[in-house]
Amino acid sequence: MSRLTNPLIHLVLLTLLLAGLPLAGVWWGGGTPSDYLRFPPRPPAPPETSFSWPVFLLLTVLEAGLYGMLVGLLRYCLPPSRRIRPFPGWGWAALAWLAVAWWLAWTRPDWLGSLRDWTFTPLWLGYIAVVNALCLCWRGWCLLTHRPRFLLGLFPLSALFWWYFEYLNGFVGNWRYLGVENLGAWAYFWHATLPFSTVLPAVVSTTVLLGAFFGPACGLPPLRLYRPRRWAWAGLGLAGLTLVGIGVWPQGSFAALWLAPLVLFVSLQVLLGERSYFHPLREGRWEIVAVPMLAALVCGFFWEMWNYWSWPKWVYHVPWVGRFRIFEMPALGYAGYLPFGLECMVVADWWARHCGQSEPLDLD
């Protein structure tokens, strides 16, 4: 297939599966699919579920194993030899911008008027610029100065990327936004799309920065899957079933919201003959898994912290494990950032190959 046709087919198939399979689940369960196509989206109020100690303890054990795996992988990612360079002048300006945006987001002074509801995007623009300045200092290059077209392209791609998750959240209702209830469709679109556009640039920039401290993995076995197309078909089928499950049993299928898009995207890459982001695992390069996971956790901490005293803001409803919150997020919910970091890098790597640069997104 041509260089242009293949990514378009990939996006069309991904969109049809992500959009259609949960609706098929709703229809199968006797619901009304059109109720989930409203805009602005209004996630359903999930039924009240009491806290469950057995579920909490089970997930705690599973997540402890997941975090342990992450720490174990990072131990094998030896820090490369780097020469620290002076912090750039524009980085100091970005740091000042970030400080002012942070103050405005949390204090919301009256003199800002209607602009008080638009402070979250400037806050994250400051974060992205500061992270790129630190990357230039520690690595000698950053996306902002060395691959600006790629970085700028991540912004509209990020908005589309996160709208997928907003659509899926319309079935499970794991989060909802406060302070936007009275917005019309057009106002809601812009209030949501602008901050959504900063998600991929933030995670990818943080991943590149952390590459200064966690280099290529050494001493880990390679991962080679024989007959990858069979694995891809199996992944496609499993992810499809879990997406149908979101429509049938949203309370018990909420984890699929973070896992199914990743499996779908990579499975379609393999079936369409594209090189996957995970291809370097065949050489034992497990840093491509560990570093994005850590980067998403770092960004997740700042997302949740800055959200806590901002307005508008989001709040969570996670069935059975909603206690022990860190900011608004239940403590166990932070594990969702681990696969999310991989999703961000898979999409960013796909964009790097199809945005006219013909280069993968390498952490080195």
Side-chain angles (χ1 to χ4, degrees):
M1 294 184 184
S2 72
R3 182 178 174 183
L4 179 61
T5 303
N6 221 30
L8 288 177
I9 291 176
H10 195 162
L11 277 182
V12 170
L13 289 176
L14 183 70
T15 301
L16 290 175
L17 291 171
L18 287 176
L21 290 175
L23 291 175
V26 170
W27 175 79
W28 187 26
T32 306
S34 60
D35 291 343
Y36 297 88
L37 299 176
R38 296 167 298 181
F39 194 88
R42 295 289 186 254
E48 291 295 329
T49 54
S50 58
F51 182 81
S52 171
W53 276 108
V55 174
F56 179 84
L57 292 176
L58 174 62
L59 290 180
T60 298
V61 171
L62 293 175
E63 291 189 13
L66 189 59
Y67 285 120
M69 180 203 70
L70 174 60
V71 172
L73 289 178
L74 290 172
R75 289 181 58 191
Y76 286 92
C77 300
L78 302 179
S81 177
R82 302 290 184 189
R83 179 174 66 86
I84 301 178
R85 297 158 181 82
F87 196 67
W90 58 266
W92 292 108
L95 198 58
W97 172 286
L98 177 61
V100 172
W102 188 345
W103 177 75
L104 291 175
W106 279 8
T107 61
R108 304 182 75 247
D110 292 338
W111 53 264
L112 272 180
S114 61
L115 294 178
R116 289 182 299 173
D117 295 338
W118 298 82
T119 55
F120 210 67
T121 301
L123 186 58
W124 275 95
L125 291 176
Y127 173 91
I128 294 165
V130 169
V131 166
N132 275 270
L134 289 171
C135 191
L136 187 63
C137 178
W138 282 93
R139 304 196 63 172
W141 71 276
C142 69
L143 295 176
L144 185 59
T145 58
H146 288 68
R147 297 187 71 173
R149 186 172 68 172
F150 166 75
L151 180 62
L152 288 175
L154 286 179
F155 283 88
L157 182 63
S158 177
L160 175 64
F161 172 72
W162 189 256
W163 272 116
Y164 279 131
F165 289 97
E166 290 293 318
Y167 172 74
L168 294 178
N169 183 59
F171 296 87
V172 300
N174 280 165
W175 67 85
R176 60 188 178 91
Y177 297 97
L178 305 180
V180 296
E181 296 84 356
N182 298 323
L183 294 179
W186 190 243
Y188 186 96
F189 173 80
W190 285 112
H191 273 79
T193 298
L194 290 179
F196 293 172
S197 71
T198 63
V199 172
L200 283 180
V203 175
V204 175
S205 295
T206 305
T207 302
V208 175
L209 172 61
L210 291 178
F213 306 96
F214 301 99
C218 298
L220 290 173
L223 177 66
R224 294 189 178 96
L225 296 179
Y226 297 99
R227 297 178 177 177
R229 290 182 63 85
R230 289 191 178 183
W231 284 96
W233 279 115
L236 197 67
L238 181 60
L241 286 175
T242 57
L243 285 173
V244 172
I246 285 180
V248 177
W249 186 36
Q251 291 296 100
S253 306
F254 61 90
L257 189 149
W258 304 110
L259 298 174
L262 174 63
V263 177
L264 274 181
F265 197 101
V266 176
S267 297
L268 287 174
Q269 277 188 310
V270 174
L271 294 174
L272 290 173
E274 296 184 357
R275 181 185 174 96
S276 167
Y277 169 76
F278 296 107
H279 187 81
L281 291 179
R282 297 169 60 90
E283 304 166 5
R285 292 192 54 192
W286 287 88
E287 77 279 359
I288 69 166
V289 172
V291 177
M293 284 182 169
L294 181 60
L297 275 178
V298 171
C299 289
F301 171 81
F302 284 103
W303 270 315
E304 304 303 338
M305 179 185 67
W306 282 332
N307 168 69
Y308 192 68
W309 284 287
S310 294
W311 192 266
K313 64 182 295 184
W314 62 83
V315 294
Y316 292 96
H317 177 90
V318 182
W320 306 304
V321 293
R323 292 186 189 174
F324 311 113
R325 295 175 180 261
I326 302 175
F327 306 116
E328 294 289 356
M329 171 73 87
L332 292 185
Y334 282 87
Y337 281 112
L338 302 183
F340 181 68
L342 296 178
E343 283 167 321
C344 290
M345 290 303 293
V346 164
V347 172
D349 180 72
W350 176 87
W351 170 243
R353 298 174 190 277
H354 297 294
C355 71
Q357 299 189 62
S358 303
E359 298 177 14
L361 182 58
D362 202 329
L363 300 182
D364 291 342

